[in-house]
Amino acid sequence: MGALPQEAEYVVVGGGTSGNVVAARLAEVGLDVLVLEAGPDFGPEGSAAWPADIVDATRLGRSHDWGYDSGDSYPWRVGFERARAIGGCSDFNGCTQTWGHRRDYDSWAEAGLTGWSTEDLLPLFEEGMRRMRVHTYRADDLTPWQRAWYEAAPAAGMPRLADLNDVDESAGFAPEAVNIVDGVRINTAFAYLDPVRPLPNIRIVGDALVDRVIVTNGRATGVVVRHQGETVTVRAGTIVLAGGTYNSPTVLLRSGIGPYAQLAVLDIPLVQHLPGVGENLHDQPFLLMSWSGSEEMGAAMERARAAGWCPDEQAMGKAASSFDTEAFDLHFLPYSPTHLIGRKRWSVGVSALQPRSRGFVRLRGTDPEAKPVIDHRFLADPEGVDVAVLAEGATMLREIAADPELAPLVGAEIHPGPETFDRDALVAHLYRNPDNYWHPVGTCKMGTGDDAMSVVDERARVHGIDGLRIADCSIMPRIPRATTAMPAVVMGEKVARLLLEEVAAWRATS
Ligand SMILES: Cc1cc2nc3c(=O)[nH]c(=O)nc-3n(C[C@H](O)[C@H](O)[C@H](O)COP(=O)(O)OP(=O)(O)OC[C@H]3O[C@@H](n4cnc5c(N)ncnc54)[C@H](O)[C@@H]3O)c2cc1C
C-alpha cells in the first residue's frame, strides 16, 4: 500500500476505467500525477495479489464491489454492481467492447459540445481498442450456445455481421470484440497504468477514499482523503474526478457542489449551486430471458468447457424496435454461465438502449462510506416507451428462439415464461421486475452554459469551479447505443487530450 503524498500537480480521484486513462496520459508526458483509488491497488499485471475472479475473463468479476443496490425503490433489491479496486469496472465487466452508432456522438456535438462528434472521437476509439488489446472473435470461436443464436438471427431479420463496431451499421448479430488475452480480462490498470508505473512522476495509492474537494475562492485546491484510518488533506493543482456515475456526483455533493436544497438538508455549506449534480441518471433497462436448454446443447457446452475455453458472453445482436427511426435501440446478449447448475443457465439478455426514463443519485448523509440513494426510475417515462421497446425486444427474441433449427436446442422458455406470452402480462412483468444493464451514465452531464442542468462544459470543467474536471461515464449527456466500457476509455482519452492541449498552450506562452 503506497504512502499518501501531501500534494500533486494532478490528482485523479478514482483509478477506474476512465481515471487510469487520464492518469497514464498525463504521466507519459512527465506531469506529476497522483491516483487516489478507494479500493486496493493490486499492482501490475501478473502480480499474485490480483483476485482470480477479476482476472478470469470467462465470467463477470464479483469481489471488491461497492455493494450498491436499489434500496427501497422497487419491491425487491436490484444490485447495482460497481468495482472498488484499481481498474474500476474494467475489472468486472463482460469484456464486450462496443462503440455505438454515429448518431450517438453526433447528437452530443449538435447540442453544442464542440469536439465530441463521432469523427472527433473515432481515433480515440481506435486507440482505446489498441491499448485494451481488443480482438474480435471469429464465428468458429463461438461456444455452441453463442453460435446457435448467431446462426439463427437472420430468422428475425438480423443479418450476420463481421463485428459490432461499424458506426454506420444498424441491425445485425456478430461475434463480440473483447479485451481478453490468454483468458485474462485486460483492465485499464494493465493496459494504461502498467507502462507508466515505473515512472517517478506518478504515484498510485490504493485504499484512499476521497471524501470531498476543497474549494478556495472558486478554485479547487485539494481533496480530503480517508487513508489508513486517518483523514488527511492532499493539495492539488488540478483535480480530475473519475469516481464513476454513482460516485462522482457524491464527491461533488459532499464538497458543497450541487442542488442547494439537497445540501441544506444535510447542513453541507453551499460552494456552488449546480442543480444537475446527481440528476439525469440513466441506464439501459434489461430483461434476462432463460430457456430450459436441451440434452444436445448441454452436451455440446460440456464438450466446449472440457476443451478449456467457455466464456459466458461472446456474441451480440443489435436491432431496431418500431420506436427507433435512426439506427437501432435493442441489444441481444446470449449468456451461458456453464458454471451455474440448474435454472437460468441458458439465457439471452435483451436491453433497450435509448431509455427516456431518468433517475437520480443522492446523498443519505455526509459519511463518505454511506451508500447513496440510487433510484434509476426504470421504465418511468410517462409515455411508456421504455417498457414498450423492451417488450418488443423480448418478442423478437422469442421469434428467434422459435426458429426451427434453434427451437429444439434452446428448449422451452422458463423465464419470464409462458405466463407472459400475452403482451399485457409481459409488460406487467417488466414493470414488476426492473433490471439494469450495468451501464449507468449521466449524473454530471456535459452541456453548454444555457443548459441549467449541465455540470461540466465541453472541456469537462465543472461549471463555476476552476481546476476541477470530471472524466468518466457520469459526464455523458445521453447514453450511446453501446455497452459503456470502451466509451469510458474514450472519455478518459478525450479529457486527457483536453488537459494536455492546455498544458501545451500554457508552455507556449510562458
Ligand atoms: C458487472 C458489470 C459488467 C459489465 N459488462 C460490460 C461489458 O461487457 N461491456 C461494456 O462495454 N461495459 C460493461 N460494463 C460497464 C462498464 O464496465 C462501465 O460502464 C465502465 O467501466 C465505467 O467506467 P467509469 O470510469 O465511469 O467508472 P469505474 O470504472 O467504476 O471507475 C470508478 C473508480 O473510482 C473509484 N472511486 C469511486 N469513488 C471514489 C472515491 N470517493 N475515492 C476514491 N476512489 C473512488 C472506484 O473504486 C472505481 O475504481 C459492465 C459493468 C459491470 C459492473
Side-chain angles (χ1 to χ4, degrees):
M1 192 185 297
L4 196 59
Q6 292 183 337
E7 62 182 346
E9 198 177 352
Y10 290 87
V11 169
V12 177
V13 177
T17 312
S18 310
N20 290 338
V21 179
V22 178
R25 291 305 188 193
L26 299 180
E28 270 166 24
V29 298
L31 296 167
D32 172 42
V33 180
L34 171 63
V35 179
L36 297 174
E37 166 53 45
D41 173 17
F42 301 116
E45 186 177 353
S47 154
W50 280 93
D53 68 296
I54 288 181
V55 176
D56 175 7
T58 61
R59 53 177 109 157
L60 301 175
R62 285 276 176 232
S63 64
H64 300 83
D65 183 56
W66 280 85
Y68 293 164
D69 60 38
S70 58
D72 301 328
S73 314
Y74 303 117
W76 44 81
R77 284 175 193 249
V78 181
F80 298 141
E81 288 78 5
R82 293 285 99 183
R84 180 172 177 160
I86 200 80
C89 286
S90 67
D91 293 346
F92 272 17
N93 67 34
C95 298
T96 312
Q97 302 296 339
T98 64
W99 300 9
H101 191 271
R102 182 177 294 279
R103 286 301 310 141
D104 297 326
Y105 311 100
D106 282 355
S107 73
W108 297 2
E110 285 159 14
L113 299 172
T114 307
W116 292 88
S117 72
T118 299
E119 282 310 306
D120 292 318
L121 299 182
L122 276 180
L124 309 188
F125 275 102
E126 279 155 14
E127 175 61 6
M129 298 287 268
R130 191 184 69 75
R131 284 298 287 263
M132 296 296 286
R133 296 179 238 168
V134 176
H135 73 279
T136 303
Y137 285 121
R138 292 167 301 132
D140 288 348
D141 299 327
L142 301 181
T143 68
W145 181 251
Q146 303 288 328
R147 179 91 186 234
W149 287 89
Y150 169 70
E151 296 284 351
M158 298 168 68
R160 283 179 216 126
L161 306 174
D163 77 65
L164 294 156
N165 291 330
D166 178 338
V167 292
D168 294 307
E169 210 157 41
S170 291
F173 226 96
E176 290 176 348
V178 291
N179 52 318
I180 300 174
V181 177
D182 296 333
V184 170
R185 175 186 287 108
I186 303 300
N187 60 52
T188 59
F190 298 166
Y192 281 89
L193 283 189
D194 279 2
V196 296
R197 278 184 188 271
L199 299 178
N201 55 305
I202 182 165
R203 291 158 291 175
I204 302 159
V205 183
D207 300 306
L209 175 69
V210 172
D211 174 0
R212 59 199 157 86
V213 176
I214 300 166
V215 180
T216 314
N217 298 326
R219 181 169 187 91
T221 55
V223 288
V224 176
V225 191
R226 281 198 191 172
H227 180 60
Q228 296 181 342
E230 293 187 358
T231 300
V232 285
T233 298
V234 176
R235 291 187 299 279
T238 295
I239 297 161
V240 182
L241 264 188
T245 295
Y246 298 141
N247 283 3
S248 283
T250 62
V251 174
L252 289 182
L253 292 168
R254 289 193 298 267
S255 311
I257 303 166
Y260 170 69
Q262 276 178 45
L263 303 176
V265 170
L266 295 169
D267 285 331
I268 299 173
L270 181 70
V271 170
Q272 179 74 26
H273 173 60
L274 283 181
V277 174
E279 301 299 313
N280 189 43
L281 172 66
H282 55 294
D283 185 1
Q284 299 144 331
F286 184 84
L287 169 70
L288 189 71
M289 301 181 69
S290 299
W291 285 262
S292 62
S294 60
E295 273 187 31
E296 186 180 345
M297 181 55 71
M301 287 296 279
E302 279 313 318
R303 282 195 296 277
R305 209 160 127 80
W309 179 245
C310 201
D312 294 350
E313 302 175 25
Q314 275 189 316
M316 184 179 270
K318 44 187 187 178
S321 77
S322 62
F323 292 88
D324 185 85
T325 52
E326 286 187 328
F328 58 94
D329 61 352
L330 287 163
H331 263 177
F332 302 133
L333 179 69
Y335 180 64
S336 40
T338 51
H339 55 282
L340 290 185
I341 309 295
R343 290 165 69 86
K344 299 208 180 167
R345 203 175 156 189
W346 309 114
S347 298
V348 183
V350 53
S351 186
L353 302 177
Q354 294 284 274
R356 299 184 181 200
S357 307
R358 294 293 184 269
F360 53 81
V361 173
R362 292 196 183 141
L363 291 183
R364 261 178 230 283
T366 53
D367 179 352
E369 287 289 3
K371 291 177 190 168
V373 177
I374 300 172
D375 188 348
H376 273 276
R377 303 190 72 244
F378 281 122
L379 311 181
D381 61 307
E383 301 83 16
V385 172
D386 291 354
V387 79
V389 173
L390 202 52
E392 273 191 37
T395 306
M396 283 186 209
L397 265 184
R398 284 173 173 160
E399 276 171 35
I400 307 177
D403 173 68
E405 302 269 313
L406 188 60
L409 291 173
V410 303
E413 183 182 312
I414 56 171
H415 187 83
E419 56 275 23
T420 64
F421 284 173
D422 168 75
R423 186 187 180 275
D424 288 346
L426 176 62
V427 166
H429 173 89
L430 293 172
Y431 276 128
R432 271 199 314 274
N433 297 274
D435 204 354
N436 71 110
Y437 197 14
W438 292 305
H439 305 143
V441 307
T443 50
C444 300
K445 82 165 172 168
M446 189 166 40
T448 54
D450 53 7
D451 178 355
M453 295 305 282
S454 68
V455 175
V456 298
D457 67 9
E458 78 281 3
R459 300 193 71 83
R461 297 178 290 212
V462 174
H463 294 312
I465 310 284
D466 289 336
L468 182 58
R469 313 277 176 142
I470 307 181
D472 57 31
C473 290
S474 73
I475 67 171
M476 295 180 185
R478 184 177 186 223
I479 196 163
R481 293 165 176 83
T483 59
T484 44
M486 191 50 64
V489 168
V490 168
M491 294 294 109
E493 289 277 12
K494 178 71 184 176
V495 176
R497 276 164 177 73
L498 294 171
L499 287 164
L500 292 174
E501 268 173 30
E502 289 161 27
V503 171
W506 180 79
R507 283 181 179 159
T509 57
S510 56

